[in-house]
């Protein structure tokens, strides 16, 4: 990212030259001012959006998190009350636990599957575009209500999974209505959408020069050695990128949990994701102050994870140059 | 003598072994792909089955083929389903136009112009990409309620016009930086202003980035549920995802057939875009990492 932030060379010589010949400083400044004005013009919509849609609301939610705002009456400053309430809110703790289990189980599984298939496909398999498309399709659909509805039925008491199990003479559970398994069905749903990171892995594998593998083969290296000593080290930037992205995404999961549990987070709060609980507090019982405090905790968690990821990346991500 | 006869045999054997291995890999890949797609195919097949039959067997081919699920599902809610499709289409079209205009303008400034505060603003823009919507949704809701925009499409469209999807700005900045600078410098010598350079040179050359933006805006907005659930409150404004959700809530376990039929309809446009824009989609995701 730092490369992107690097300043480009100042005012291009071609445009500045004629003006500079007659009036050295004033003309140059005029051009600069014009460019400044043009830039702010092009950025005007973005500035307005930043003020009213992004940064403004961000600060407002910080403010609301210290109030008892409920959307209807007046609100008053309650200090850290919302935050201390979070410390005692058992359902919130449960929602954090559910969300962490979801992130820590589904993201590694998803990325492992993505990498495994990317490696198989990268070995010059014929029909690669077709396979890639087939595996990628679920990532596009996975977040939709329609797929959540499908999941509800597939893992329901009479659903597809139990029909298949019944074919083998096994009596299955009503997976989505069982507190021990409901979260598992959502984890399966997230793993199912491994196609997006897989495509990114595939692009990364393409960058690894074949001669490294050939040289290792000459030295008598086996496939495992090649994987751990060539593929993984050279792929660490891509692994890192996918990891950061998928963790951020997974923490914000909402639609699937909302639809599969019918908006309740049930059974027994077993699919009460953090965002779902936030929605219930904010838009179910209009405790906007509390919901805002919850949102800030989410921001800190996601920010913390991303920061730790970046810090830890120094020790395991190799940018080959 | 002995070596002459064995040598070709071993290469033949080796190539046969390689062929078998390739075959096994293909069988594995096809089998896995079928498992991946089976739920989708099963939903498609189930949408043509009477509900009772859906519960009986995992097979795909309907014993009794009933397109009736589609007509039943179409009219099962308060409004006919095309009403929700139309609402979704309006929101999606607005979001696409908004993102194309707002993000390309901001991207031009970041990629090609020098101005005070550029580095700071660019860093802020990058930071907004990572901001979870949950943090801003409550004040946004209050703001939109204050100006009377709740239960209109405006909260779903206007922010796009205001370039709040930083991700697409970033994508276009990256793309525009890759365009040769000589072109706009030549135009500038010919006396073109920034507006003309933007419209005549940058935009036409940025078509691939604009197409990627349009495709992903389409898919994300079509699939989006959270913000549409919050900002749209009356059934006549519902979009497809919100309508589907009321369908789930209102219908008991018995009407899976119609529910699946409407779910298939809801996935249709995304699937269509997927088929049509596959090349762009895969290239877009491989180079930029969007889902």
């Amino acid at each position: 990212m730092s490369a992107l932030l690097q300043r480009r060379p100042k005012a291009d010589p071609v445009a500045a030259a004629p003006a500079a010949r007659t009036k050295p400083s004033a003309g140059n400044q005029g051009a600069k001012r014009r460019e400044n004005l043009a830039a702010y013009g092009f950025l005007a919509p973005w500035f307005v959006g930043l003020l009213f849609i992004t940064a403004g609301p961000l600060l407002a939610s910080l403010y609301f998190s210290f109030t008892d705002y409920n959307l209807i009456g007046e609100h008053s400053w309650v200090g850290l009350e919302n935050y201390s309430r979070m410390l005692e809110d058992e359902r919130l703790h449960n929602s954090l636990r559910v969300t962490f289990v979801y992130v820590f189980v589904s993201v590694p599984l998803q990325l492992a599957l993505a990498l495994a298939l990317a490696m198989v496909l990268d070995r010059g398999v014929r029909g690669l575009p077709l396979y890639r498309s087939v595996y990628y399709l679920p990532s596009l659909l996975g977040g939709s209500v329609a797929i959540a509805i499908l999941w509800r039925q597939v893992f329901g008491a009479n659903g597809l999974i139990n029909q298949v199990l019944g074919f083998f003479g096994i009596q299955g559970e009503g997976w989505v209505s069982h507190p021990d398994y409901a979260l598992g069905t959502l984890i399966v749903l997230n793993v199912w959408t491994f196609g997006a990171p897989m495509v990114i892995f595939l692009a990364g594998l393409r960058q690894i020069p074949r001669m490294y593998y050939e040289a290792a083969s000459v030295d008598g290296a086996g496939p495992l050695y090649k994987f751990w000593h060539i593929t993984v080290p050279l792929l660490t930037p891509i692994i890192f990128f996918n990891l950061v992205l998928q963790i951020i995404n997974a923490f914000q999961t909402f639609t699937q949990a909302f639809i599969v549990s019918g908006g309740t987070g049930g059974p027994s709060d077993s699919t009460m994701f953090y965002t779902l609980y936030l929605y219930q507090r904010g838009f179910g019982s209009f405790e906007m102050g509390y919901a805002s405090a919850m949102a800030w905790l989410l921001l800190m968690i996601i920010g913390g994870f991303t920061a730790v990821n970046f810090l830890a990346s120094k020790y395991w991500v190799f940018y080959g140059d | 003598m002995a070596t002459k006869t064995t040598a070709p045999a071993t290469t033949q054997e080796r190539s046969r072994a390689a062929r078998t291995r390739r075959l096994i890999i293909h069988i594995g890949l096809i089998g896995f792909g079928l498992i991946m797609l089976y739920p989708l195919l099963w939903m498609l097949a189930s949408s043509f089955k009477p509900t009772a039959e859906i519960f009986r067997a995992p097979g795909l081919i309907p014993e009794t083929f009933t397109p009736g699920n589609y007509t039943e599902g179409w009219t099962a809610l308060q409004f006919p389903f095309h009403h929700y499709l139309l609402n979704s289409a309006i929101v999606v079209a607005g979001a696409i136009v908004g993102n194309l205009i707002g993000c390309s303008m901001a991207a031009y400034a970041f990629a090609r112009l020098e101005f005070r505060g550029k580095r700071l603003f660019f860093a802020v823009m990058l930071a907004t990409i990572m901001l979870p919507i949950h943090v801003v949704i409550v004040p946004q809701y209050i703001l939109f309620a204050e100006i009377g925009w709740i239960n209109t499409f405006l909260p779903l469209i206007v922010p796009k016009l205001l370039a709040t999807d930083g991700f697409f700005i970033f994508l276009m900045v990256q793309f525009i930086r890759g365009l040769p600078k000589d072109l706009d410098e030549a135009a500038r010598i010919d006396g073109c202003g920034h507006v003309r350079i933007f419209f005549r040179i940058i935009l036409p050359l940025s078509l691939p980035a604009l197409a990627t933006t349009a495709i992903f805006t389409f898919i994300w907005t079509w699939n989006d549920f959270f913000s549409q659930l919050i900002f749209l409150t009356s059934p006549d404004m519902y979009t497809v995802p919100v309508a589907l959700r009321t369908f789930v809530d209102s219908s008991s376990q018995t009407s899976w057939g119609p529910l699946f039929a409407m779910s298939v309809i809801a996935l249709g446009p995304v699937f269509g875009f997927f088929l049509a824009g596959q090349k762009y989609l895969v290239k877009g995701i491989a180079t930029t990492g969007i889902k």
Side-chain angles (χ1 to χ4, degrees):
Chain A
M1 289 262 162
S2 64
L4 303 170
L5 296 169
Q6 258 161 33
R7 203 187 281 268
R8 313 203 121 242
K10 282 258 173 176
D12 34 358
V14 185
R21 221 170 285 149
T22 49
K23 257 189 195 175
S25 62
N28 201 12
Q29 260 182 352
K32 232 186 211 172
R33 198 179 310 135
R34 265 199 305 279
E35 186 150 330
N36 262 326
L37 274 177
Y40 294 144
F42 277 102
L43 281 174
W46 180 77
F47 281 130
V48 176
L50 184 68
L51 188 62
F52 289 103
I53 310 292
T54 316
L58 180 69
L59 294 176
S61 90
L62 183 61
Y63 167 74
F64 284 131
S65 76
F66 296 110
T67 69
D68 60 356
Y69 194 44
N70 65 2
L71 209 61
I72 308 149
E74 290 296 306
H75 58 275
S76 56
W77 185 267
V78 295
L80 288 171
E81 203 174 279
N82 287 322
Y83 291 92
S84 59
R85 180 179 157 199
M86 289 201 300
L87 289 176
E88 285 148 27
D89 188 345
E90 298 283 342
R91 292 188 82 193
L92 182 136
H93 301 163
N94 172 65
S95 73
L96 276 174
R97 195 185 54 80
V98 167
T99 308
F100 275 105
V101 169
Y102 177 80
V103 171
F104 280 113
V105 176
S106 74
V107 172
L109 281 177
Q110 189 200 39
L111 293 187
L113 196 58
L115 180 56
L117 275 159
M119 288 190 57
V120 174
L121 290 180
D122 187 49
R123 300 175 60 156
V125 174
R126 251 204 235 165
L128 165 73
L130 182 67
Y131 289 124
R132 194 174 50 192
S133 301
V134 164
Y135 296 149
Y136 176 51
L137 179 64
S139 322
L140 279 183
L141 307 176
S144 67
V145 168
I147 292 300
I149 288 171
L150 171 64
W151 232 247
R152 205 166 125 129
Q153 169 59 8
V154 162
F155 286 96
N158 294 310
L160 176 61
I161 296 290
N162 284 348
Q163 288 171 1
V164 173
L165 288 177
F167 192 74
F168 295 104
I170 303 166
Q171 177 67 46
E173 297 275 345
W175 308 97
V176 289
S177 50
H178 193 295
D180 291 345
Y181 302 120
L183 182 57
T185 65
L186 293 172
I187 289 173
V188 172
L189 177 48
N190 196 34
V191 175
W192 187 62
T193 63
F194 70 86
M198 184 197 74
V199 170
I200 300 171
F201 277 137
L202 261 173
L205 288 170
R206 283 285 154 79
Q207 306 293 320
I208 301 178
R210 297 285 131 167
M211 59 180 203
Y212 289 176
Y213 293 105
E214 283 153 20
S217 290
V218 171
D219 291 347
L224 255 180
Y225 183 92
K226 286 188 219 167
F227 176 72
W228 283 115
H229 291 88
I230 300 173
T231 310
V232 169
L234 289 173
L235 212 57
T236 46
I238 310 282
I239 298 174
F240 172 65
F241 178 81
N242 273 331
L243 188 69
V244 170
L245 217 65
Q246 295 306 327
I247 287 179
I248 292 175
N249 277 339
F251 267 115
Q252 298 180 59
T253 301
F254 173 81
T255 308
Q256 297 89 326
F258 185 92
I259 297 296
V260 168
S261 72
T264 63
S268 325
D269 278 358
S270 60
T271 60
M272 181 63 93
F273 281 62
Y274 191 79
T275 53
L276 183 48
Y277 189 55
L278 189 156
Y279 170 81
Q280 285 190 358
R281 293 270 70 83
F283 295 90
S285 44
F286 295 109
E287 299 167 71
M288 294 294 185
Y290 193 55
S292 297
M294 280 188 70
W296 269 84
L297 180 62
L298 179 69
L299 181 63
M300 286 185 275
I301 291 174
I302 293 179
F305 263 85
T306 310
V308 166
N309 256 326
F310 270 92
L311 289 177
S313 72
K314 279 189 193 136
Y315 300 99
W316 67 274
V317 176
F318 305 103
Y319 294 96
D321 38 45
Chain B
M1 196 62 190
T3 46
K4 259 184 190 170
T5 47
T6 51
T10 41
T11 46
Q12 230 173 29
E13 249 167 59
R14 209 177 292 153
S15 76
R16 196 177 302 146
R19 216 177 300 147
T20 343
R21 217 179 54 208
R22 272 206 302 272
L23 192 68
I24 291 170
I25 287 176
H26 276 287
I27 290 171
L29 287 173
I30 291 170
F32 189 71
L34 280 177
I35 294 174
M36 292 269 302
L37 292 190
Y38 200 82
L40 292 172
L41 297 172
W42 181 78
M43 175 159 76
L44 182 66
S46 298
S47 72
F48 290 107
K49 293 176 184 174
T51 297
E53 197 189 318
I54 298 174
F55 295 119
R56 267 210 313 273
L60 288 182
I61 310 208
E63 286 165 33
T64 29
F65 183 84
T66 36
N69 284 331
Y70 283 83
T71 49
E72 198 184 314
W74 204 272
T75 52
L77 295 172
Q78 193 178 336
F79 293 91
F81 209 74
H82 57 254
H83 186 91
Y84 308 116
L85 286 169
L86 186 67
N87 285 347
S88 269
I90 295 170
V91 171
V92 166
I96 291 177
V97 172
N99 264 344
L100 289 181
I101 296 175
C103 296
S104 65
M105 282 174 66
Y108 176 67
F110 281 128
R112 280 294 204 257
L113 301 177
E114 287 306 322
F115 53 95
R116 285 180 71 171
K118 177 172 171 172
R119 279 158 60 117
L120 172 72
F121 292 136
F122 194 69
V124 168
M125 190 274 290
L126 286 180
T128 61
I129 296 176
M130 277 178 282
L131 192 68
I133 185 179
H134 311 90
V135 187
V136 288
I137 195 90
V138 168
Q140 274 184 19
Y141 182 86
I142 294 164
L143 170 74
F144 292 136
E146 206 63 44
I147 54 178
W149 282 9
I150 297 298
N151 203 31
T152 71
F153 297 140
L154 294 172
L156 302 167
I157 295 173
V158 173
K160 311 282 176 189
L161 198 62
L162 300 177
T164 49
D165 276 356
F167 185 78
F168 293 121
I169 302 181
F170 178 61
L171 186 141
M172 285 188 221
V173 166
Q174 292 296 84
F175 190 87
I176 294 172
R177 278 183 178 167
L179 298 175
K181 246 194 153 182
D182 315 359
L183 291 168
D184 23 327
E185 267 155 21
R188 226 186 282 185
I189 292 171
D190 290 349
C192 281
H194 291 296
V195 175
R196 275 178 72 179
I197 293 175
F198 175 65
F199 278 109
R200 293 283 172 80
I201 296 171
I202 299 296
L203 278 190
L205 288 175
S206 302
L207 267 183
L210 295 175
T212 307
T213 300
I215 291 171
F216 278 98
T217 305
F218 181 100
I219 291 167
W220 287 351
T221 313
W222 187 269
N223 280 342
D224 175 41
F225 174 62
F226 187 66
S227 52
Q228 294 172 14
L229 173 72
I230 283 171
F231 293 130
L232 304 175
T233 50
S234 79
D236 73 310
M237 298 304 283
Y238 281 176
T239 51
V240 169
V242 190
L244 271 181
R245 179 258 167 150
T246 55
F247 205 149
V248 185
D249 288 356
S250 62
S251 63
S252 58
Q253 296 288 328
T254 47
S255 55
W256 280 106
L259 184 53
F260 277 166
M262 292 308 104
S263 298
V264 169
I265 301 271
L267 293 179
V270 178
F271 191 67
F273 251 74
F274 170 72
L275 286 182
Q278 257 192 73
K279 241 192 193 163
Y280 273 134
L281 283 171
V282 171
K283 216 188 268 170
I285 191 192
T287 50
T288 61
I290 34 185
K291 206 166 192 176

PDB file of all heavy atoms in Angstrom, chain B residues 250-262:
ATOM      1  N   SER B 250     -43.900 -15.546   6.271  1.00  0.00           N
ATOM      2  CA  SER B 250     -45.350 -15.697   6.222  1.00  0.00           C
ATOM      3  C   SER B 250     -45.763 -17.124   5.889  1.00  0.00           C
ATOM      4  O   SER B 250     -46.758 -17.621   6.397  1.00  0.00           O
ATOM      5  CB  SER B 250     -45.946 -14.729   5.193  1.00  0.00           C
ATOM      6  OG  SER B 250     -45.444 -15.036   3.911  1.00  0.00           O
ATOM      7  N   SER B 251     -44.944 -17.791   5.044  1.00  0.00           N
ATOM      8  CA  SER B 251     -45.382 -19.118   4.626  1.00  0.00           C
ATOM      9  C   SER B 251     -44.935 -20.166   5.627  1.00  0.00           C
ATOM     10  O   SER B 251     -43.831 -20.112   6.152  1.00  0.00           O
ATOM     11  CB  SER B 251     -44.800 -19.456   3.248  1.00  0.00           C
ATOM     12  OG  SER B 251     -43.411 -19.507   3.330  1.00  0.00           O
ATOM     13  N   SER B 252     -45.790 -21.098   5.893  1.00  0.00           N
ATOM     14  CA  SER B 252     -45.420 -22.195   6.779  1.00  0.00           C
ATOM     15  C   SER B 252     -44.555 -23.167   5.974  1.00  0.00           C
ATOM     16  O   SER B 252     -44.236 -22.941   4.818  1.00  0.00           O
ATOM     17  CB  SER B 252     -46.658 -22.891   7.309  1.00  0.00           C
ATOM     18  OG  SER B 252     -47.424 -23.368   6.223  1.00  0.00           O
ATOM     19  N   GLN B 253     -44.169 -24.271   6.581  1.00  0.00           N
ATOM     20  CA  GLN B 253     -43.276 -25.233   5.935  1.00  0.00           C
ATOM     21  C   GLN B 253     -43.859 -25.786   4.638  1.00  0.00           C
ATOM     22  O   GLN B 253     -43.144 -26.376   3.856  1.00  0.00           O
ATOM     23  CB  GLN B 253     -43.023 -26.409   6.898  1.00  0.00           C
ATOM     24  CG  GLN B 253     -42.292 -26.005   8.157  1.00  0.00           C
ATOM     25  CD  GLN B 253     -40.838 -25.688   7.903  1.00  0.00           C
ATOM     26  OE1 GLN B 253     -40.222 -26.274   7.036  1.00  0.00           O
ATOM     27  NE2 GLN B 253     -40.280 -24.756   8.651  1.00  0.00           N
ATOM     28  N   THR B 254     -45.166 -25.569   4.411  1.00  0.00           N
ATOM     29  CA  THR B 254     -45.797 -26.281   3.305  1.00  0.00           C
ATOM     30  C   THR B 254     -45.496 -25.725   1.928  1.00  0.00           C
ATOM     31  O   THR B 254     -45.571 -26.448   0.953  1.00  0.00           O
ATOM     32  CB  THR B 254     -47.328 -26.306   3.483  1.00  0.00           C
ATOM     33  OG1 THR B 254     -47.738 -24.992   3.816  1.00  0.00           O
ATOM     34  CG2 THR B 254     -47.727 -27.284   4.572  1.00  0.00           C
ATOM     35  N   SER B 255     -45.122 -24.453   1.806  1.00  0.00           N
ATOM     36  CA  SER B 255     -45.032 -23.904   0.449  1.00  0.00           C
ATOM     37  C   SER B 255     -43.595 -23.774  -0.041  1.00  0.00           C
ATOM     38  O   SER B 255     -43.219 -22.751  -0.604  1.00  0.00           O
ATOM     39  CB  SER B 255     -45.749 -22.566   0.363  1.00  0.00           C
ATOM     40  OG  SER B 255     -45.247 -21.688   1.331  1.00  0.00           O
ATOM     41  N   TRP B 256     -42.781 -24.786   0.158  1.00  0.00           N
ATOM     42  CA  TRP B 256     -41.397 -24.736  -0.308  1.00  0.00           C
ATOM     43  C   TRP B 256     -41.311 -24.635  -1.823  1.00  0.00           C
ATOM     44  O   TRP B 256     -40.413 -23.972  -2.346  1.00  0.00           O
ATOM     45  CB  TRP B 256     -40.626 -25.970   0.170  1.00  0.00           C
ATOM     46  CG  TRP B 256     -40.176 -25.861   1.590  1.00  0.00           C
ATOM     47  CD1 TRP B 256     -40.707 -26.509   2.663  1.00  0.00           C
ATOM     48  CD2 TRP B 256     -39.130 -25.036   2.107  1.00  0.00           C
ATOM     49  NE1 TRP B 256     -40.050 -26.146   3.824  1.00  0.00           N
ATOM     50  CE2 TRP B 256     -39.072 -25.245   3.499  1.00  0.00           C
ATOM     51  CE3 TRP B 256     -38.237 -24.135   1.529  1.00  0.00           C
ATOM     52  CZ2 TRP B 256     -38.161 -24.599   4.325  1.00  0.00           C
ATOM     53  CZ3 TRP B 256     -37.328 -23.488   2.349  1.00  0.00           C
ATOM     54  CH2 TRP B 256     -37.299 -23.724   3.730  1.00  0.00           C
ATOM     55  N   GLY B 257     -42.209 -25.272  -2.513  1.00  0.00           N
ATOM     56  CA  GLY B 257     -42.186 -25.230  -3.987  1.00  0.00           C
ATOM     57  C   GLY B 257     -42.217 -23.801  -4.506  1.00  0.00           C
ATOM     58  O   GLY B 257     -41.286 -23.365  -5.201  1.00  0.00           O
ATOM     59  N   PRO B 258     -43.256 -23.027  -4.173  1.00  0.00           N
ATOM     60  CA  PRO B 258     -43.317 -21.631  -4.621  1.00  0.00           C
ATOM     61  C   PRO B 258     -42.144 -20.790  -4.114  1.00  0.00           C
ATOM     62  O   PRO B 258     -41.625 -19.933  -4.836  1.00  0.00           O
ATOM     63  CB  PRO B 258     -44.637 -21.127  -4.018  1.00  0.00           C
ATOM     64  CG  PRO B 258     -45.456 -22.342  -3.802  1.00  0.00           C
ATOM     65  CD  PRO B 258     -44.506 -23.454  -3.513  1.00  0.00           C
ATOM     66  N   LEU B 259     -41.720 -21.063  -2.868  1.00  0.00           N
ATOM     67  CA  LEU B 259     -40.607 -20.311  -2.312  1.00  0.00           C
ATOM     68  C   LEU B 259     -39.326 -20.558  -3.120  1.00  0.00           C
ATOM     69  O   LEU B 259     -38.592 -19.625  -3.447  1.00  0.00           O
ATOM     70  CB  LEU B 259     -40.398 -20.723  -0.850  1.00  0.00           C
ATOM     71  CG  LEU B 259     -39.334 -19.973  -0.039  1.00  0.00           C
ATOM     72  CD1 LEU B 259     -39.547 -18.483  -0.118  1.00  0.00           C
ATOM     73  CD2 LEU B 259     -39.382 -20.434   1.409  1.00  0.00           C
ATOM     74  N   PHE B 260     -39.086 -21.810  -3.463  1.00  0.00           N
ATOM     75  CA  PHE B 260     -37.928 -22.135  -4.300  1.00  0.00           C
ATOM     76  C   PHE B 260     -38.057 -21.505  -5.677  1.00  0.00           C
ATOM     77  O   PHE B 260     -37.073 -21.022  -6.249  1.00  0.00           O
ATOM     78  CB  PHE B 260     -37.770 -23.653  -4.440  1.00  0.00           C
ATOM     79  CG  PHE B 260     -37.042 -24.276  -3.285  1.00  0.00           C
ATOM     80  CD1 PHE B 260     -37.055 -25.649  -3.094  1.00  0.00           C
ATOM     81  CD2 PHE B 260     -36.341 -23.496  -2.376  1.00  0.00           C
ATOM     82  CE1 PHE B 260     -36.386 -26.231  -2.027  1.00  0.00           C
ATOM     83  CE2 PHE B 260     -35.669 -24.060  -1.313  1.00  0.00           C
ATOM     84  CZ  PHE B 260     -35.689 -25.439  -1.139  1.00  0.00           C
ATOM     85  N   ALA B 261     -39.264 -21.527  -6.210  1.00  0.00           N
ATOM     86  CA  ALA B 261     -39.471 -20.943  -7.536  1.00  0.00           C
ATOM     87  C   ALA B 261     -39.063 -19.471  -7.538  1.00  0.00           C
ATOM     88  O   ALA B 261     -38.341 -19.014  -8.430  1.00  0.00           O
ATOM     89  CB  ALA B 261     -40.930 -21.098  -7.964  1.00  0.00           C
ATOM     90  N   MET B 262     -39.489 -18.736  -6.504  1.00  0.00           N
ATOM     91  CA  MET B 262     -39.138 -17.318  -6.452  1.00  0.00           C
ATOM     92  C   MET B 262     -37.652 -17.116  -6.145  1.00  0.00           C
ATOM     93  O   MET B 262     -37.045 -16.152  -6.599  1.00  0.00           O
ATOM     94  CB  MET B 262     -40.001 -16.598  -5.404  1.00  0.00           C
ATOM     95  CG  MET B 262     -41.469 -16.515  -5.784  1.00  0.00           C
ATOM     96  SD  MET B 262     -41.758 -15.829  -7.452  1.00  0.00           S
ATOM     97  CE  MET B 262     -42.152 -17.311  -8.368  1.00  0.00           C
TER      98      MET B 262
END
